[in-house]
Amino acid sequence: MLLLVGLGNPGPRYADNRPNIGFMAVDAIVRRHSFSPWRSRFQADCAEGVLGGEKVLALKPQTYMNESGRAVGEALRFYKLAPENVIVLYDEIDLAPGKIRVKQGGGTGGHNGIRSLEAHIGKEFWRVRLGVGHPGHKELVHGHVLSDFAKADKVWLDKLLDAVATESTALAEGDAPRFMSRVAEIVNPPRNKDLAPKPPRKPPESVEDGTGTPSRAPASAPPTSKSDD
């Protein structure tokens, strides 16, 4: 069994905040894979489902970000799971918008939700960092992370959430590299070579004009309806 945890802050006031991208991602997974309706357990909203043949409990702590570890720790102890069975999705300002990184263990990166989780369940849970971008200056970070996503963000945000939901089976199966590469391909699909601009055509070959002097092909040559290439 796996715990699939999205981090965020409860209530409509915070629903569209950047730190709530973890809630948004778990919501997208629950919808895509037809999990059970949400219900209140473990100081969290919970929904049950299956990913890749693995039973999964999706969990959104309702204790506010700074106390996220309380809800996760309670669920972990109830099901007698190890931290390795926990996958946490959360916002990362040090990643460009739409970028994603997955790893097991690591530091908090200054994230209060991750700090709380480490205090309650240890460090060895899986971390899915969802890039929300950096404002560019340290003094702007606080306002940036507590603000809502802008309308312009919807373009990449909707793509990212859809990709995470689509490829979440690979995440549940423990195939983090496949999950990351598939999400990246969906968010930023490779350019179609057929649509790439073609190089300019070479000028026609020189021909002899009978005097030994090279000249261009006759201007009176009939036009063709198709390209030569």
Side-chain angles (χ1 to χ4, degrees):
M1 182 178 180
L2 297 173
L3 292 185
L4 185 69
V5 180
L7 297 188
N9 288 304
R13 174 183 174 185
Y14 303 102
D16 295 320
N17 276 191
R18 286 179 173 84
N20 273 39
I21 194 171
F23 276 9
M24 297 173 192
V26 169
D27 281 337
I29 293 170
V30 166
R31 287 193 302 268
R32 176 64 55 85
H33 297 279
S34 303
F35 278 37
S36 70
W38 293 100
R39 62 177 177 142
S40 182
R41 295 180 71 193
F42 312 120
Q43 305 178 70
D45 287 344
C46 300
E48 297 177 353
V50 176
L51 289 174
E54 189 79 34
K55 185 177 179 181
V56 175
L57 179 70
L59 187 148
K60 297 189 296 183
Q62 300 297 293
T63 51
Y64 289 97
M65 184 73 80
N66 294 2
E67 296 290 343
S68 299
R70 286 166 46 199
V72 179
E74 190 174 328
L76 195 76
R77 290 187 294 274
F78 180 85
Y79 289 108
K80 297 180 173 61
L81 299 175
E84 292 84 355
N85 300 119
V86 179
I87 301 170
V88 183
L89 298 95
Y90 63 99
D91 60 298
E92 176 56 80
I93 64 170
D94 289 329
L95 284 178
K99 296 293 184 182
I100 189 167
R101 294 289 183 272
V102 182
K103 69 177 294 187
Q104 184 182 12
T108 67
H111 195 287
N112 290 330
I114 297 302
R115 185 177 289 116
S116 176
L117 279 162
E118 289 190 356
H120 284 268
I121 70 170
K123 295 178 178 288
E124 294 309 306
F125 56 90
W126 285 88
R127 302 150 197 251
V128 181
R129 298 156 57 208
L130 306 171
V132 297
H134 196 285
H137 297 283
K138 187 177 180 179
E139 60 271 18
L140 299 177
V141 167
H142 183 73
H144 176 73
V145 298
L146 293 182
S147 63
D148 287 353
F149 284 109
K151 287 183 179 179
D153 292 321
K154 271 193 71 68
V155 176
W156 65 262
L157 181 60
D158 288 349
K159 276 187 179 182
L160 177 63
L161 296 176
D162 183 65
V164 168
T166 300
E167 301 302 325
S168 56
T169 296
L171 190 61
E173 292 172 346
D175 195 343
R178 179 160 65 94
F179 172 74
M180 285 190 287
S181 65
R182 288 294 299 126
V183 168
E185 286 176 8
I186 294 171
V187 174
N188 294 297
R191 289 185 61 185
N192 188 332
K193 292 182 180 179
D194 294 336
L195 299 179
K198 294 182 179 180
R201 293 180 59 189
K202 294 181 180 179
E205 298 264 345
S206 296
V207 296
E208 298 287 337
D209 64 1
T211 64
T213 304
S215 66
R216 294 296 180 189
S220 59
T224 60
S225 60
K226 294 184 180 180
S227 170
D228 293 336
D229 53 9

